[in-house]
């Protein structure tokens, strides 16, 4: 099977498992686990922020960020297809009493103008708009990079209006490799950033929330209440440290394979890349493509792909998502292209 369902399907290598087995550990709830501490210091430094906190999932780091930035009854602005709004139930409401105010963006991008007009006036009729959440790269938009000039404008506006700015950077490592920007440059416009070690980096578990010292100390309290206090979690943090050392730069291979596959898809009759840019079909490691009606619905076409040994998820009634990752080689994507051309013949 060639598994293109997600970049979360990777399993740890024997070297990664050895790093996990040999990790120095302690009780990270009573005080601190030394390997977790090393990971937190490392990721804070990479992102150019004061502090970081390790948590079991990106959903938790995002939801703790919402809790940090918002009081009960506040609302945050976000893009309609973002993970926080689309794939985390309505945890901001059920856990924190916060409302989402989603806006439909273009390829994952919101404009400053949209945010300015959506922000509610400061009076007793309206919810307080205390946070903006962005996502980079944007998953549902097909791993798209954000328009950085707009991000900088949004950041300046948030700062001068006392609105918090959180980044869901589950795939910030992909963004860094694709744009050749440093993680510090990519984190600078934001107050808090969530990154996932369990996506393209290929660690089995975990995310970090990164920001200034005081809010991250407060995040430690929320993590405990959300059920994220873990004891000898250095075993997991060791895998993330290993992933940062060995699996970061190589994300460029995933991007090259995604681009190769996107090119093959664009040249297959009946298939079409969703929202390609004028100069490149995909930005990073996610390939979203539409299936012509004569080939069946996307779920039907995905079922045929699965039967032919290519695991994938339909993304909508008409589109399918492929994600390249650590276990996917050029030979694999060539095989996928062969299967696609057979199914479309
Ligand atoms: C995967 C992902 C997350 C976090 O997911 P978890 O499964 O909770 O770790 C957050 N945001 C985006 C964009 C993601 O793709």
């Amino acid at each position: 099977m060639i598994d293109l369902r997600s970049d979360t399907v990777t399993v740890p290598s024997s070297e990664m498992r050895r790093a996990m087995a040999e990790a120095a550990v302690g009780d990270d709830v009573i005080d601190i686990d030394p390997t977790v501490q090393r990971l937190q210091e490392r990721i804070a430094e990479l992102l150019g922020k004061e502090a970081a906190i390790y948590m079991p999932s990106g959903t938790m780091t995002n939801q703790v960020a919402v809790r940090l930035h918002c009081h009960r009854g506040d609302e945050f602005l976000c893009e309609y297809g973002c993970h926080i709004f689309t794939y985390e139930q309505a945890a901001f409401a059920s856990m924190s009493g916060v409302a989402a105010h989603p806006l439909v963006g273009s390829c994952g991008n919101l404009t400053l103008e949209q945010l300015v007009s959506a922000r509610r006036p400061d009076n007793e009729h309206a919810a307080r708009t205390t946070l903006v959440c962005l996502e980079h790269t944007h998953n549902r938009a097909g791993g798209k990079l954000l328009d950085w000039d707009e991000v900088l404008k949004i950041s300046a506006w948030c700062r001068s209006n006392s609105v918090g700015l959180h980044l869901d950077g589950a795939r910030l490592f992909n963004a860094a490799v694709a744009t050749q920007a440093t993680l510090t440059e990519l984190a600078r416009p934001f107050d808090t950033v969530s990154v996932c070690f369990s996506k393209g980096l290929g660690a089995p578990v975990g995310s970090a929330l990164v920001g200034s010292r005081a809010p991250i100390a407060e995040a430690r309290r929320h993590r405990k209440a959300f059920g994220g206090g873990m004891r000898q979690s250095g075993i997991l943090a060791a895998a993330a440290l290993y992933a940062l050392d060995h699996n970061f730069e190589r994300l460029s291979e995933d991007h090259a394979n995604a681009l190769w596959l996107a090119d093959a898809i664009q040249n297959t009759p009946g298939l079409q890349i969703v929202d390609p840019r004028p100069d490149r079909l995909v930005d990073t490691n996610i390939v979203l493509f539409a299936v012509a009606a004569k080939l069946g619905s996307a779920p039907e076409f995905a079922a045929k792909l699965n039967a032919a040994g290519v695991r994938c998820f339909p993304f909508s009634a008409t589109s399918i998502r492929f994600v390249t990752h650590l276990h996917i080689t050029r030979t694999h994507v060539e095989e996928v292209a062969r299967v696609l051309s057979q199914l479309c013949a």
Side-chain angles (χ1 to χ4, degrees):
M1 281 302 238
I2 300 173
D3 196 343
L4 298 173
R5 287 174 301 165
S6 173
D7 43 9
T8 55
V9 300
T10 58
V11 296
S13 64
S14 47
E15 293 78 17
M16 184 182 277
R17 287 170 192 262
R18 191 167 319 118
M20 297 171 76
E22 291 171 359
V25 294
D27 189 323
D28 198 57
V29 176
I30 292 181
D31 40 44
I32 191 125
D33 173 294
T35 305
V36 169
Q37 183 169 33
R38 261 205 306 135
L39 174 64
Q40 289 174 169
E41 286 170 359
R42 175 98 188 274
I43 194 68
E45 195 193 329
L46 279 171
L47 269 65
K49 303 277 189 209
E50 288 175 356
I53 183 163
Y54 182 63
M55 299 196 200
S57 73
T59 297
M60 192 181 286
T61 44
N62 280 333
Q63 293 301 327
V64 166
V66 171
R67 174 73 69 89
L68 277 179
H69 289 283
C70 302
H71 291 107
R72 297 187 77 80
D74 289 355
E75 69 169 17
F76 64 91
L77 301 172
C78 63
E79 203 283 320
Y80 186 79
C82 78
H83 197 279
I84 294 177
F85 182 62
T86 308
Y87 293 120
E88 301 180 11
Q89 302 176 11
F92 44 83
S94 61
M95 313 281 281
S96 300
V98 172
H101 181 163
L103 307 166
V104 176
S106 164
C107 292
N109 281 276
L110 294 175
T111 63
L112 174 58
E113 206 183 321
Q114 278 180 292
L115 296 172
V116 170
S117 52
R119 186 192 184 199
R120 307 215 185 251
D122 182 9
N123 67 47
E124 69 188 77
H125 301 288
R128 288 196 172 110
T129 308
T130 45
L131 175 66
V132 171
C133 296
L134 302 181
E135 185 173 309
H136 197 211
T137 63
H138 196 291
N139 174 23
R140 270 201 77 84
K144 284 276 196 309
L145 295 162
L146 294 183
D147 173 348
W148 205 247
D149 289 338
E150 203 65 29
V151 169
L152 295 178
K153 281 192 234 165
I154 290 169
S155 173
W157 176 76
C158 285
R159 277 183 189 163
S160 54
N161 287 279
S162 302
V163 172
L165 185 56
H166 172 70
L167 178 67
D168 178 351
R171 294 188 180 80
L172 196 66
F173 303 103
N174 295 85
V177 165
T179 58
Q180 307 208 318
T182 64
L183 291 166
T184 296
E185 286 162 345
L186 296 180
R188 192 172 292 132
F190 301 93
D191 300 311
T192 52
V193 181
S194 161
V195 293
C196 290
F197 305 110
S198 55
K199 297 281 161 80
L201 290 186
V205 178
S207 293
L209 183 66
V210 192
S212 299
R213 214 175 306 282
I216 297 303
E218 189 66 11
R220 189 176 156 102
R221 280 189 64 80
H222 299 315
R223 179 184 69 173
K224 182 68 162 61
F226 279 55
M230 299 183 288
R231 304 289 177 172
Q232 285 73 33
S233 39
I235 287 184
L236 302 172
L241 282 163
Y242 180 94
L244 283 170
D245 285 335
H246 297 91
N247 297 343
F248 183 8
E249 299 299 327
R250 65 150 303 286
L251 290 171
S252 59
E253 294 171 36
D254 299 344
H255 300 173
N257 285 333
L259 196 55
W260 191 95
L261 193 50
D263 193 59
I265 287 168
Q266 200 70 336
N267 287 303
T268 304
L271 305 181
Q272 203 165 26
I273 297 295
V274 174
D275 289 333
R277 294 191 192 267
D279 56 337
R280 62 180 184 279
L281 292 170
V282 293
D283 284 356
T284 55
N285 68 326
I286 299 178
V287 182
L288 263 191
F289 62 97
V291 181
K294 66 174 193 296
L295 295 168
S297 69
E300 285 162 358
F301 195 76
K304 285 185 203 161
L305 280 165
N306 279 279
V310 178
R311 302 195 79 178
C312 61
F313 284 133
F315 210 57
S316 71
T318 56
S319 67
I320 287 176
R321 185 182 82 156
F322 285 160
V323 187
T324 57
H325 53 75
L326 195 50
H327 296 341
I328 298 299
T329 63
R330 184 55 59 93
T331 311
H332 289 132
V333 292
E334 286 169 0
E335 170 63 15
V336 173
R338 219 170 4 254
V339 169
L340 286 171
S341 67
Q342 271 166 12
L343 290 179
C344 295

